[in-house]
Amino acid sequence: MNIKRLEALLQGVKNDEINVEEAIEALQSLPFSDLEYAKIDHHRELRVGYPEVIYGGGKTDEQILGIVKHMMDHGSNILVTRCSESAAKSILDAVPKAHYNPLAHTVSVVHEATTQTESYIAIVAAGTSDLPVVEEAYETAKIMGNQVRKITDVGVAGIHRLFANLEAIRGAKVVIVVAGMEGALASVIGGLVDKPIIAVPTSVGYGANLGGVAALLSMLNSCASGVSVVNIDNGYGAAYSASMINHL
Amino acid sequence: MNIKRLEALLQGVKNDEINVEEAIEALQSLPFSDLEYAKIDHHRELRVGYPEVIYGGGKTDEQILGIVKHMMDHGSNILVTRCSESAAKSILDAVPKAHYNPLAHTVSVVHEATTQTESYIAIVAAGTSDLPVVEEAYETAKIMGNQVRKITDVGVAGIHRLFANLEAIRGAKVVIVVAGMEGALASVIGGLVDKPIIAVPTSVGYGANLGGVAALLSMLNSCASGVSVVNIDNGYGAAYSASMINHL
Amino acid sequence: MNIKRLEALLQGVKNDEINVEEAIEALQSLPFSDLEYAKIDHHRELRVGYPEVIYGGGKTDEQILGIVKHMMDHGSNILVTRCSESAAKSILDAVPKAHYNPLAHTVSVVHEATTQTESYIAIVAAGTSDLPVVEEAYETAKIMGNQVRKITDVGVAGIHRLFANLEAIRGAKVVIVVAGMEGALASVIGGLVDKPIIAVPTSVGYGANLGGVAALLSMLNSCASGVSVVNIDNGYGAAYSASMINHL
Amino acid sequence: MNIKRLEALLQGVKNDEINVEEAIEALQSLPFSDLEYAKIDHHRELRVGYPEVIYGGGKTDEQILGIVKHMMDHGSNILVTRCSESAAKSILDAVPKAHYNPLAHTVSVVHEATTQTESYIAIVAAGTSDLPVVEEAYETAKIMGNQVRKITDVGVAGIHRLFANLEAIRGAKVVIVVAGMEGALASVIGGLVDKPIIAVPTSVGYGANLGGVAALLSMLNSCASGVSVVNIDNGYGAAYSASMINHL
Amino acid sequence: MNIKRLEALLQGVKNDEINVEEAIEALQSLPFSDLEYAKIDHHRELRVGYPEVIYGGGKTDEQILGIVKHMMDHGSNILVTRCSESAAKSILDAVPKAHYNPLAHTVSVVHEATTQTESYIAIVAAGTSDLPVVEEAYETAKIMGNQVRKITDVGVAGIHRLFANLEAIRGAKVVIVVAGMEGALASVIGGLVDKPIIAVPTSVGYGANLGGVAALLSMLNSCASGVSVVNIDNGYGAAYSASMINHL
Amino acid sequence: MNIKRLEALLQGVKNDEINVEEAIEALQSLPFSDLEYAKIDHHRELRVGYPEVIYGGGKTDEQILGIVKHMMDHGSNILVTRCSESAAKSILDAVPKAHYNPLAHTVSVVHEATTQTESYIAIVAAGTSDLPVVEEAYETAKIMGNQVRKITDVGVAGIHRLFANLEAIRGAKVVIVVAGMEGALASVIGGLVDKPIIAVPTSVGYGANLGGVAALLSMLNSCASGVSVVNIDNGYGAAYSASMINHL
Amino acid sequence: MNIKRLEALLQGVKNDEINVEEAIEALQSLPFSDLEYAKIDHHRELRVGYPEVIYGGGKTDEQILGIVKHMMDHGSNILVTRCSESAAKSILDAVPKAHYNPLAHTVSVVHEATTQTESYIAIVAAGTSDLPVVEEAYETAKIMGNQVRKITDVGVAGIHRLFANLEAIRGAKVVIVVAGMEGALASVIGGLVDKPIIAVPTSVGYGANLGGVAALLSMLNSCASGVSVVNIDNGYGAAYSASMINHL
Amino acid sequence: MNIKRLEALLQGVKNDEINVEEAIEALQSLPFSDLEYAKIDHHRELRVGYPEVIYGGGKTDEQILGIVKHMMDHGSNILVTRCSESAAKSILDAVPKAHYNPLAHTVSVVHEATTQTESYIAIVAAGTSDLPVVEEAYETAKIMGNQVRKITDVGVAGIHRLFANLEAIRGAKVVIVVAGMEGALASVIGGLVDKPIIAVPTSVGYGANLGGVAALLSMLNSCASGVSVVNIDNGYGAAYSASMINHL
């Protein structure tokens, strides 16, 4: 398309339909407004249902609502993460079809349902305190058109619970592992499952947990191969990477 | 298969071909010696050519050579990482078809060439000082049967070099980004490429680089989505994850 | 017992009392639902009165109450740690025999009193600000059936107070040492007492105390032998380990 | 002038208009009250409009207002940074021509407008969450007599936005780069622009961002030359340095 | 005995066999030279065979040899930890019955074999690189009169190896878990075994392992109860604590 | 006195006024209840007016008031540090002669005025935000009987202010330097003054100040000799050390 | 020029001298190979004599020599930093006019002397141990065409030395401050001098200096305005920024 | 004296013996070349025998020898710290009366013996590995004219050794406590002794000792009052502060 537009422009110059000054002006802005990656951004949404994502952290309710409204005009699917309860309410008032997940702190607006993948992402979590991160990952993965299975409360302190769910985990195309405290679950699953694993350390724990740094270091040093890691509590980022892999 | 073996065993008991004591002995070891994951380990190698991997760090030359010789009998492909020059020499003396990559500090032994993937992994690196990590990733990816393209010295200080190589990066199925210092390359590629990215921070740099921690934190905090991270200088781990994805 | 059940099952197959399909189904779930450790979990409670423990941190009052009620049906002894005042109140309303320790932030429900050990655990603390951790350890140790002696406010700044209580400390089978600030008490007791010591660093202090990290590092580097360490402020964990030792 | 005053004093002694005791007294205080740097302090304000700056952090509303009123008598331009909303209100009540920027948390009072520089400072920011720091830098730069251009929301996750604004950045005499998360923007601009860059890491982000330390380390390790760094969230400090350079 | 000596002294005063001045002198030194803990030190050795321990780190060969020779006169069993190869040789030359364990970096001298416990300590290790720490723990435990079983190379990356050794681990009275990298093994065993666990983080690993800090934090944050922790690579300290418990 | 009591006891035994059993009992408790240091504690108060000090942090208002009342009976001078406003009010209600310093967060009760030293302690501070720490040091030093001079707002950013106060600083017997941010004031005074300096880092500052750690490290690394350091914000500790020196 | 080339191209298409396919090909590569910044790179060297810089750290002698030789053909001025003695010798053998500064660990090759600035950069250092960093900054500044004055050994421990050199520092257009230990020199000069200051923390010091981190934090928290900071020991980076400012 | 010189100068002006230009010149240099602190520096040496101190770390043997020779001409007493063996030898060859302490890594040259104080400094150390720091403190204290008593190997693991030496410690005017590992000795002595304590953390230990940081934090958080701290391994700094106090 880029080449087509370029060809049309040059043909216009050749045919004296477009004069040289106009062509220069058009070409000067070309590298930035029409680069390949801009198109890819567009392609991306069409193909895999990538939503427009608003990070709500540090934004006022008004700002969030304003951005959502502006996006409504483009007809994009929308995902707001780290959305406060009051911001969520103001969106729900303005956009009746918006969906609020209070545990995930997300609001999503789906204009046209994206085709679901046949393969699924497994989101596996160690404890119930990790659920907000699980839910953020879940909402992200869903709006990006993925089938998802959640398997929670299977921490290594009671490893038989993990074994009882091993088939469901192995059946996934990519696995997200969410764990706080010492984050050992990532290594254990890494040793049992032959799939790419995206590990999310959570800030669950206290004392020498250091706000999730203990779990983060643990996951980065996993003795099992096939584990890569995202930021602490970053359920959104894990689901984004997993969705990219699941759509391959 | 597991179920078939179990059925055969029970049928043998039913038919008095196997006595109860023998069946008990067989069943007691079942959960551990014959679990699904054990078989998967086996499947894994056949399907994607996963080699047996020896981490050479902290092992003596004799130990490394001993393990290599033992593995030669199983006919597995072998990869030794973090292999000292002297250990490499002793392997080359004993195993003529071994291949030593001095920059990667790896030795590989290929018994039967694994089928190469049609899609490829792009390994992108910021500077020439990152090459040892690039080469470790390269050797790992190759022996696991991946097509690989290396694109090096494209750090963000001269971002036009990166743009000149963008098509090759975008053509990959999965991208490994290797960078030290501030590790900004991962974020920049994350913003330009619609593929899963495995980022490897390197210990290249000095002062407040803190042995790679600066690049590690930078990559974990990437403002671009789709970036997950492995341990500092862990080219092997990045390639392992990338190979899993590339074989999907 | 495990072997007995297995033998009975196989004998049933042999005698055609159990058909092969049923036996397969039973055996498939065996590794997970009936493994040795599952039974141990059960044994554990009977023998030493291990309660069901609910970590209240990060749970809503409703969730905590719900779990407590569910456990009431099993007749287990129950311990809730890190329990907020409001959650405690809602439990006390619903379960009259529940006991709330506001300093420890614990609620305990004892259905049948566990036999007390003859030997005792000494819980020794440096200052009055460490009392919440002392009380959490105390409540944990009590519900697990241990005799306990608390010796508090014996920090090394006035070491004669420690000496005046030395006999009581030496008489214990295992000693828990709770201290914040520089945590020197663990080393001093380690040099005076010939018993296993579980040290608990607390977050008491300010400035370069770094939320308990100073005491933690201090205890890990104890120049006296026989000291092992649990997480900052983790009175529960210390008492759990100590109870295991005290029941030997 | 210093020398002139000294000469007058000595001439007075010589001519017996000033006695020796008076001269000793005057000279004893000379080194401190009339040193070269004291005059420079005065010169500074006249030439570039340096305001008196009050750091409002950790001061009560009364203290801030008191200092502002005291300064009003000297006729200095005044800048209050880290000013709470209530402190701002009390100033606005007392000083009608005061200007409050709620996003920047600054109050400024301009008695006589300082001459604006012809060259300008570009303040470039990665995201909308960085705006408070941008505004603090902006208010500081303005009251010090600089022309300023703000270019915001050009983070590297969508690098085409940065390219679209490159000419405005390159046209500046000095560039302030404000970014949180991984702070990669500083390196990227450092590679594209031939001007001194003052980088301000912000505490925007979460988890392994560590309150801005990730961005700080990233900027200190910039692979591009020409980047120097100020403290986390220190928009004031960046603008002060930039103003010094812009007035050269 | 203390009381007996005191009684004799006072009886002597009463009977005028000892005058008051002599008694005062004797009593003044009493608190320090003859306190209860001094005797305990003595008792300790007799009962459980506690050796005299020399920490060889930072001592010259001559110093170590000198201390060993001096101790030989007391007939104590001796353990030298962190002993260099050259120091070991000089001891072996001087003390023929000394035993050198080059992997453990220990030298031990046993004058009279201590009675072995009937119960045993299990030393469980994740990988072969952890062996030096395992051996230091082993030598310490042995000279203190413990039966010991070593179970190595059972890291969680291949968890079936751990399960295959579970009975041996469960049979111990106390378990030492040695692991580097992410140290997940401690949590997994903590979830499977109903015995006190002493966890030893090792400095095995690289990058974000931070010299063993990753494993240390991981073990301190274990989601399984019953785990207490000693310093990085401190096999000696773990065995000392374990021996205390095993002798109960 | 200790010896006198001992002599009396022995003389009693000799004269058959005290029987041996009673003497043994008395002597057994001697080492701990009547050691030299106990008497020193008493001496200390008499000689230098050391107050009883209550650390109010983490104590309830009731607890603080209770301890104060209990101490009133002993007639000791009392100092409460880190005292909340409400706790202070409850003390002032109960003890009319109590003195509350709201900036210092201290309450002091003086029963008998201690003799003031002739030499004085200089408390020098960088900025007005450091005043709470200055005041805590001041109140501590005063109640311990020291003459004190406060010299504040002499930070190195305007070094002429420091020079103008140099004589007052040099006249002190010992100098307390209080500074946040980069804490450079300690080094500068260390280079100008020939007196022992106790440096107190404060948590004043933001960003990479890390809660006072920047100033702490700075002071520990002072290029000027004669500087020793106490914990962050620890005005009490600095004054205690300084008072010891000032009373020599 | 860019526009001129574009105009010529379009004019060629218009005049049928260039066909559309050729024009498309030319325009496609335009954004990357001929962007404005590429030309700037070229301009930069011509105008201010920016050399080609080779970071020698982590490169073999052969690699460094190879790059130098290759650059010799372009006639660029060359600077090698972090150059080992042996690498320096091999360059000096091959390039007679190369200049080696062993203290700075730099080699420079000047083909045509760059015009020196009239204004000068002052490089001020605290101690003699900081000289390697001073020299690296000096060599960098010189080859970039700056007049430079070095003022060393003026640390704050003997502040009169600094005052004696104040005029020389004030006369500079921009000041580089090099200091290790507590880095207080940056703040003190910041309070005395009205010029932009680039501060370089050095790794000089020991213990809690933490390899330069103490000085780094100190400088970032400078209470004096106008100070920005580069990485630890980064004399090159400081001089690069200073040269940009000095050439304004 | 300063005032006398000033008076003479002005009197000369008044009497026309000195013309105004000469007086101006003299007065301009006055603030820097003749400030009070310069004289104090001189006084200091005369009164307490303060030597000239050379920090040998990071200096070549030639540089150290050169400085020593230069100082020999001034007749000052000289102390070289952190002096390598080879540098020591070259000094001993050139200066026969120099004294080398190989454990302390110091060389001292005493021209005229300084009067010893009647009071003494006690240097108390936990273990034999702390001896190098003890010796550095000892050599520093001796050359500054202090009586010193060394009390070593009295760590808290065997606290009776400390008690046996308590009188000697209590008899000192100021106490230096040297300890590595967890540094508890400082707190314990702080609780037993009524004298100012200068604590020196040492880098003795391993693992989570973090190069002395554990002991440093421990000492800063001492629960006993009267303890101030110097940098890790800084025996020189501790002795310098202690000498200042001992000479009061």
Side-chain angles (χ1 to χ4, degrees), chain B residues 206-211, chain C residues 210 217, chain D residues 217, chain F residues 210 213-214 216-218 220-221, chain G residues 180-182 201-218 231-233, chain H residues 203 209-214 216-217 231-232:
Chain B
Y206 54 91
N209 166 286
L210 304 176
Chain C
L210 304 175
L217 291 178
Chain D
L217 291 178
Chain F
L210 304 176
V213 168
L216 171 63
L217 291 178
S218 189
L220 284 168
N221 285 283
Chain G
M181 304 185 110
E182 93 288 55
T202 72
S203 52
V204 170
Y206 55 91
N209 167 286
L210 305 176
V213 168
L216 171 63
L217 291 177
S218 189
N231 201 353
I232 297 165
D233 290 336
Chain H
S203 52
N209 167 287
L210 305 176
V213 168
L216 171 63
L217 291 177
N231 202 352
I232 296 165

Side-chain angles (χ1 to χ4, degrees), chain A residues 39-222:
Chain A
K39 281 177 295 171
I40 278 179
D41 278 346
H42 201 59
H43 276 179
R44 193 187 279 186
E45 186 186 350
L46 295 180
R47 193 176 71 248
V48 300
Y50 281 30
E52 297 284 341
V53 181
I54 305 162
Y55 177 77
K59 296 209 177 68
T60 65
D61 293 2
E62 291 70 32
Q63 287 176 315
I64 294 174
L65 182 59
I67 301 173
V68 168
K69 279 181 175 168
H70 183 262
M71 284 180 173
M72 292 298 290
D73 305 338
H74 289 70
S76 310
N77 289 345
I78 299 170
L79 176 68
V80 189
T81 63
R82 314 275 154 139
C83 186
S84 69
E85 196 175 332
S86 60
K89 278 187 183 156
S90 70
I91 299 173
L92 292 174
D93 286 349
V95 185
K97 70 174 163 181
H99 164 69
Y100 174 45
N101 181 331
L103 200 51
H105 300 292
T106 58
V107 170
S108 49
V109 184
V110 176
H111 288 284
E112 47 180 330
T114 48
T115 319
Q116 288 240 335
T117 56
E118 288 192 32
S119 59
Y120 65 89
I121 298 171
I123 305 178
V124 188
T128 53
S129 319
D130 301 316
L131 285 184
V133 178
V134 167
E135 288 299 311
E136 189 185 86
Y138 178 78
E139 292 288 344
T140 304
K142 290 305 288 182
I143 204 168
M144 290 172 79
N146 298 281
Q147 235 195 307
V148 183
R149 293 201 196 163
K150 289 184 277 190
I151 297 146
T152 59
D153 208 14
V154 293
V156 300
I159 209 166
H160 54 289
R161 298 173 301 183
L162 176 62
F163 281 96
N165 287 282
L166 211 46
E167 289 318 300
I169 301 172
R170 283 180 177 153
K173 189 163 176 186
V174 53
V175 181
I176 294 173
V177 177
V178 180
M181 304 184 109
E182 92 288 55
L185 187 60
S187 296
V188 172
I189 294 183
L192 291 171
V193 176
D194 184 32
K195 295 291 162 46
I197 292 168
I198 312 289
V200 195
T202 72
S203 53
V204 169
Y206 55 90
N209 168 284
L210 304 175
V213 168
L216 171 62
L217 291 177
S218 188
M219 287 166 166
L220 285 167
N221 285 284
S222 171

